[in-house]
Amino acid sequence: MLNVENLVVRYGMIEAIKGITFEVKDGEIVTLIGANGAGKTTTMHAISGLIKPASGSIFLDGTDLTKVPPHTIVTRGLAQVPEGRRVFAQETVEENLTLGAFFRKDKDKIEADMDNVYTLFPRLKERRTQLAGTLSGGEQQMLAMGRALMADPKIMLLDEPSMGLSPLLVSEIFSIIEEINKKGTTVLLVEQNAKRALAIAHHAYVLETGKITLSGTGAELAKDERVQKAYLGG
Amino acid sequence: MAFLSYLINGLSLGSVYAIIALGYTMVYGIAKMLNFAHGDIMMVGAFVAFFALNSFGLPVIVSVVLSMLATTVLGVVIERLAYKPLRQATSLSVLITAIGVSYFLQNGAQLLWSSSTKVFPSIIGNGSLKLFGGQLQISYLTLVTIFVCVAVMVCLTLFINKTKTGMAMRACSEDKGAATLMGINVNSIISITFAIGSGIAALAAVLLCATYPTLSPTLGSMPGIKAFTAAVFGGIGSIPGAFLGGLLLGVIEILSKAYVSTQLSDAIVFAVLIIVLLIKPTGLLGKKLSEKV
Ligand SMILES: Nc1ncnc2c1ncn2[C@@H]1O[C@H](COP(=O)(O)OP(=O)(O)OP(=O)(O)O)[C@@H](O)[C@H]1O
Ligand SMILES: [Mg+2]
């Protein structure tokens, strides 16, 4: 579904991503783990078009995303839940969800999807007329995920969805990610919470200062000594 | 009665400021830049309307529409050519560019149109509404000016709050990256914003010249600065703020001219601005982001 090939991203003189290649297969949960500053967000932004890569290709079902206008990427079935949620604080919960479906024309399906989001996140339904900026961190994370779901994506990118959440909420968010995946959405998940991420991932990659240093199934990497030392506190 | 009459004149002048300020504030709210050429775009609108009325003898409505079309196109072209390449640049470079565009328009107008003095024709006539047995006279021009301003304000508010494009504008004003992730074409939204802001500036131009009829290439500077002040006064980025700021500025200016001193009126206007900003740094309605574009 998603093929990243020899991706290089620079900020001025700094090369943040130094030629990485990885793949996300249809129906999988793939996770990219790495320390602060490894280049996880940069990779996500390159895929969703928020940063223009210096070189390399990003194929979504055969289309090179580096060659299309950034705002059309979501219309091709790729939605991103950005780092730090980035909900529209001055809009209501419902308006945020409506914005998630901004490019869509299928009114009836949009309504059905909104109902599904409210079923998945009942708390959002209770707060549908509340301004997003007044939601708690966890609720904002749910809203950001709901907003991405409103694009009816084939593949969803999540950038550190567990950041700053209580352990209980982290569990909730991870089980919802699995649920979304079981319903047929492919997932690319970036996490610092490597333990949780590896536990649900079919496939995993380790990113270190702009390079992929290890890859394997989630279970393989969870057992790997180097991963345990560096990311699992063992 | 004299006071009431000054107040109404103030509202009329303030209406012109408010319309210009709405353009300023919209562009700021979305493109996050101060378009210092905004007053000069208005000036071009004044000349286009003048030629349409005077040289081609077109009806007022047609002339106004032509003038609005001209400023709309001009605003969009300026954004594309001068500001868009600077999207990633520092705000200081953008500001300097905007000042450059302002001079470019003024000098261009000087070259093209300033060979003779031009006096804007009367468009509404000299009639007036007489109230209290003729003690209070309100000219039709004044009434039209205030009406147009209120109409512009109402239309803009409806547009921003009720349409899909308006929703996209609100999203862009908050977070352009997140807006892009929603599938919003941020460049088009910025163009639309410049189009609307510049288009309504032509309305202000015609109303201003109907009241103060001498045309010159610098006619946009002072109203431009006043409108910018009005936008800051009301809270830059806020649509109702620009409206309120514009009206208040007009009223304060006319009242100070009438009761204090003609020479000092501008100083008083700015003194009030400074006091307001000291008390509320975001302006009167600033930070009420729900109404911000
Ligand atoms: N806008 C920018 N300008 C310059 N350098 C940047 C910019 N954004 C990121 N970087 C640099 O690129 C590198 C990768 O950053 P990135 O945000 O992708 O890391 P990350 O893996 O997402 O980290 P974290 O886990 O802290 O979110 C870092 O060294 C960072 O300093
Ligand atoms: Mg990051």
Side-chain angles (χ1 to χ4, degrees):
Chain A
M1 164 156 297
L2 186 73
N3 289 80
V4 175
E5 290 171 11
N6 303 314
L7 182 71
V8 177
V9 184
R10 290 200 189 92
Y11 295 109
M13 299 301 285
I14 304 162
E15 201 170 75
I17 299 295
K18 302 170 175 139
I20 61 171
T21 298
F22 68 95
E23 176 187 28
V24 182
K25 288 210 185 89
D26 211 347
E28 282 187 345
I29 297 180
V30 172
T31 186
L32 210 56
I33 58 173
N36 285 118
K40 305 181 296 293
T41 299
T42 304
T43 306
M44 297 296 245
H45 282 180
I47 297 171
S48 59
L50 293 186
I51 306 177
K52 211 169 166 39
S55 64
S57 315
I58 299 162
F59 291 103
L60 176 67
D61 291 332
T63 311
D64 190 347
L65 297 183
T66 62
K67 297 200 164 54
V68 305
H71 70 276
T72 65
I73 289 176
V74 65
T75 69
R76 294 162 204 271
L78 186 145
Q80 186 183 354
V81 181
E83 184 177 56
R85 293 110 200 196
R86 293 171 74 169
V87 295
F88 298 104
Q90 305 305 325
E91 305 294 316
T92 64
V93 167
E94 188 130 327
E95 283 164 341
N96 268 274
L97 294 178
T98 307
L99 275 160
F102 183 81
F103 67 91
R104 292 172 60 187
K105 308 262 186 286
D106 46 343
K107 270 214 165 101
D108 298 342
K109 180 80 170 35
I110 293 175
E111 256 173 54
D113 284 350
M114 179 109 51
D115 287 342
N116 288 339
V117 169
Y118 283 142
T119 314
L120 201 58
F121 303 106
R123 265 207 269 182
L124 294 183
K125 186 165 190 175
E126 290 162 27
R127 289 166 170 72
R128 61 207 291 175
T129 58
Q130 196 175 321
L131 291 186
T134 64
L135 296 177
S136 74
E139 289 159 357
Q140 288 190 14
Q141 187 60 51
M142 294 175 191
L143 180 56
M145 289 170 70
R147 186 179 66 176
L149 284 173
M150 288 303 292
D152 191 21
K154 291 188 283 190
I155 176 168
M156 188 151 135
L157 274 56
L158 295 119
D159 194 341
E160 301 205 35
S162 73
M163 191 166 50
L165 303 185
S166 70
L168 202 69
L169 256 174
V170 172
S171 301
E172 196 179 328
I173 294 286
F174 272 92
S175 67
I176 287 171
I177 294 170
E178 281 196 284
E179 199 175 325
I180 290 170
N181 176 250
K182 288 210 178 86
K183 283 187 185 147
T185 309
T186 306
V187 170
L188 173 59
L189 171 69
V190 151
E191 261 300 335
Q192 285 198 43
N193 191 334
K195 192 169 167 215
R196 290 311 253 282
L198 292 175
I200 65 166
H202 302 104
H203 232 91
Y205 296 88
V206 174
L207 193 63
E208 274 175 39
T209 54
K211 282 193 195 120
I212 287 178
T213 49
L214 280 172
S215 70
T217 65
E220 278 166 15
L221 286 202
K223 275 182 285 179
D224 190 284
E225 224 171 79
R226 290 160 294 182
V227 173
Q228 287 194 339
K229 249 209 180 104
Y231 303 105
L232 302 175
Chain B
M1 218 40 82
F3 175 77
L4 210 55
S5 159
Y6 290 134
L7 189 68
I8 291 166
N9 284 340
L11 285 177
S12 167
L13 178 63
S15 293
V16 174
Y17 292 158
I19 298 173
I20 312 172
L22 284 169
Y24 248 116
T25 229
M26 277 182 82
V27 164
Y28 181 84
I30 301 220
K32 305 289 177 230
M33 66 160 293
L34 292 171
N35 180 18
F36 266 109
H38 191 61
D40 305 292
I41 293 175
M42 182 196 82
M43 173 274 294
V44 172
F47 275 92
V48 171
F50 170 81
F51 287 117
L53 287 163
N54 238 36
S55 312
F56 297 95
L58 296 174
V60 173
I61 293 293
V62 178
S63 307
V64 170
V65 170
L66 274 180
S67 165
M68 289 179 77
L69 279 177
T71 53
T72 301
V73 172
L74 183 63
V76 172
V77 168
I78 288 173
E79 195 278 323
R80 276 292 147 97
L81 295 183
Y83 304 148
K84 194 179 170 202
L86 299 177
R87 221 35 83 64
Q88 311 300 330
T90 61
S91 52
L92 197 58
S93 336
V94 181
L95 188 67
I96 290 167
T97 306
I99 292 170
V101 171
S102 165
Y103 278 110
F104 177 82
L105 292 177
Q106 286 184 23
N107 293 348
Q110 189 88 35
L111 271 173
L112 285 171
W113 301 320
S114 77
S115 46
S116 62
T117 38
K118 294 180 176 58
V119 178
F120 206 78
S122 160
I123 50 166
I124 293 169
N126 292 323
S128 61
L129 187 69
K130 296 185 177 61
L131 295 173
F132 306 109
Q135 286 186 45
L136 180 67
Q137 294 197 12
I138 311 169
S139 75
Y140 291 142
L141 177 61
T142 302
L143 290 175
V144 168
T145 305
I146 296 171
F147 172 80
V148 168
C149 173
V150 172
V152 166
M153 169 67 195
V154 169
C155 291
L156 263 187
T157 306
L158 288 176
F159 177 74
I160 286 161
N161 290 325
K162 301 281 177 225
T163 68
K164 208 169 171 194
T165 309
M167 179 180 252
M169 288 171 116
R170 275 154 33 212
C172 284
S173 90
E174 274 200 56
D175 186 336
K176 291 192 183 57
T180 305
L181 293 180
M182 304 298 111
I184 294 168
N185 185 343
V186 174
N187 284 329
S188 329
I189 294 297
I190 291 178
S191 287
I192 292 170
T193 308
F194 269 83
I196 296 174
S198 308
I200 60 175
L203 283 175
V206 172
L207 294 169
L208 185 75
C209 292
T211 315
Y212 305 94
T214 312
L215 266 75
S216 82
T218 53
L219 80 88
S221 318
M222 209 50 201
I225 290 173
K226 294 273 177 62
F228 166 62
T229 312
V232 175
F233 194 39
I236 188 111
S238 158
I239 296 265
F243 178 72
L244 185 66
L247 292 182
L248 280 176
L249 206 77
V251 168
I252 295 169
E253 183 176 330
I254 296 287
L255 290 183
S256 349
K257 272 191 180 137
Y259 294 110
V260 189
S261 134
T262 314
Q263 281 79 26
L264 276 181
S265 70
D266 286 344
I268 294 170
V269 165
F270 281 94
V272 173
L273 171 78
I274 290 166
I275 292 167
V276 166
L277 291 185
L278 281 175
I279 298 167
K280 198 159 181 300
T282 52
L284 293 173
L285 302 181
K287 281 289 134 168
K288 249 195 112 193
L289 283 162
S290 56
E291 283 142 356
K292 229 170 157 166
V293 230

